[in-house]
Amino acid sequence: MEKDANNPFEPYMETLRQQLEDQDPVFLIGIIVALAVVVITLFLKYFLTSKTVCSAVLLVGLCDSGKTLLFSRLLSGNYKRTQTSITDSSAPYKAKNDKGSTWTLIDLPGHDSLRPQYLEKFKSAARAIVFVVDSAIFQKEVRDVAEFLYVLLTDTVICRNTPLLLVACNKQDITMAKSAKLIQQQLEKELNTLRVTRSAALSSQDGSVGGSLFLGKKGKDFEFSQLPMKVEFVECSARGSKGEDGAADTESLELSLAKL
Ligand SMILES: Nc1nc2c(ncn2[C@@H]2O[C@H](COP(=O)(O)OP(=O)(O)OP(=O)(O)O)[C@@H](O)[C@H]2O)c(=O)[nH]1
C-alpha cells in the first residue's frame, strides 16, 4: 500500500497495522466475537424494549377519589364497600366494543407515600391512564391534584409511550360536584402556575432534568391540547344516583375505553 507522506496519522496507522499483524489469530477472532456479542446485545435490547405491548389501564388519583369502587363497577358492575388500598389490584377488563378488546385494569393505591413506587412499576405498561378526581371536593384538592398530574405529564416514559389520559371527574351524584369543563379549566390554570415554579429547575439543553420533561409549549399558557398524548375529560359516578342498590354512571368512561 502506498504511504501518504502528508497524512499525520500515518505513523500511528503503521504501528497499529504492525501490532495487528503480530497478534495471534485466535486473539483477533476473540475480539471480533466479543464485538459481535456487544452489537447483538444492544440490538436485542432496543428491539425488545421498543416492542413492549402496552395493555394496562391504570386507575390513579388521590386517596378517596373513588378508584377502587370504579374498579369494582367496571369489572362486575357491583357496588362494593371499599377501604384505603395499600397495594395494587388487577383483573382483565373487557372493553365494550365489537373487537372485544381485553385490557388489564389496575387499581393503584392513592396514598402519597405509596404512589411513586406503584407508578414506577406500571407506567411503562399503560395503554390508558384513568386519572380519577373527586369532583365534590375538587376546589379543596386542586393543588394536590395538579401536582400529581404534573408528575405524570412530565414523565419521560409516559410522554414517550403516550397512553390515553382519561380524567374521570367522579362523584357527579353529589350536588356540589364540579363539572368536567370547570375541572379542566382550573387544572390548566394550576398546572400553568406549577410549571413556572418547577421549570426553574430545568437546565439541560433538551429541557429535561432528572427524568422529567417541560410541560406543554414554552412561551404559551398551558393547555392539555399541547401534550403529546390524547387527553379526555369525562364525568362519572361510581356510586350512581341510586346508591348501593343502583347501577353506576360510567358510560362516558366506558365509551372512551372502548375506543382504545
Ligand atoms: N358519593 C359518591 N361516593 C363515591 C363515589 N365513588 C367512590 N365513592 C366513595 O368514596 C370513598 C372512597 O372510595 P375508594 O374507591 O375507596 O377510593 P380510592 O380512590 O380507591 O381510595 P384509596 O384506596 O385510598 O386510594 C368510598 O366511601 C366510596 O364509597 C361516587 O361516585 N359518589
Side-chain angles (χ1 to χ4, degrees), residues 153 165 167 184-185 187-188 191 195 215-217 220-233:
L153 300 178
L165 176 68
V167 182
Q184 175 172 355
Q185 286 167 350
L187 280 176
E188 284 178 339
L191 283 164
R195 186 174 67 164
L215 180 72
K217 292 241 179 324
K220 283 193 173 170
D221 280 349
F222 174 72
E223 283 174 22
F224 283 101
S225 58
Q226 296 160 356
L227 293 170
M229 68 282 277
K230 199 170 164 218
V231 185
E232 287 178 24
F233 279 75

Side-chain angles (χ1 to χ4, degrees), residues 61-71 79-86 107-111 132 134 170-174 236-240:
L62 300 185
C63 266
D64 281 343
S65 51
K67 300 178 292 294
T68 308
L69 187 53
L70 260 182
F71 179 78
Y79 181 88
K80 193 183 130 187
R81 285 184 192 272
T82 59
Q83 286 172 338
T84 300
S85 309
I86 49 163
D107 175 23
L108 273 65
H111 197 279
V132 187
D134 184 336
N170 193 31
K171 306 201 184 181
Q172 290 292 326
D173 57 290
I174 299 174
C236 64
S237 165
R239 185 174 182 272

Side-chain angles (χ1 to χ4, degrees), residues 49-70:
T49 49
S50 62
K51 276 270 180 184
T52 308
V53 181
C54 297
S55 59
V57 173
L58 311 184
L59 286 169
V60 302
L62 300 185
C63 266
D64 281 343
S65 51
K67 300 178 292 294
T68 308
L69 187 53
L70 260 182

Side-chain angles (χ1 to χ4, degrees), residues 157-253:
V157 175
I158 294 177
C159 289
R160 190 188 60 214
N161 291 351
T162 61
L164 167 68
L165 176 68
L166 268 169
V167 182
C169 305
N170 193 31
K171 306 201 184 181
Q172 290 292 326
D173 57 290
I174 299 174
T175 331
M176 298 297 285
K178 297 281 179 279
S179 69
K181 193 160 184 244
L182 193 131
I183 290 176
Q184 175 172 355
Q185 286 167 350
Q186 296 233 2
L187 280 176
E188 284 178 339
K189 237 170 98 184
E190 198 61 40
L191 283 164
N192 202 42
T193 314
L194 210 56
R195 186 174 67 164
V196 177
T197 48
R198 300 282 172 95
S199 61
L202 296 179
S203 53
S204 67
Q205 272 186 333
D206 64 348
S208 71
V209 83
S212 60
L213 300 165
F214 185 83
L215 180 72
K217 292 241 179 324
K218 283 188 179 155
K220 283 193 173 170
D221 280 349
F222 174 72
E223 283 174 22
F224 283 101
S225 58
Q226 296 160 356
L227 293 170
M229 68 282 277
K230 199 170 164 218
V231 185
E232 287 178 24
F233 279 75
V234 293
E235 293 179 355
C236 64
S237 165
R239 185 174 182 272
S241 54
K242 294 202 182 83
E244 302 185 15
D245 304 323
D249 176 9
T250 51
E251 280 106 73
S252 3
L253 179 61

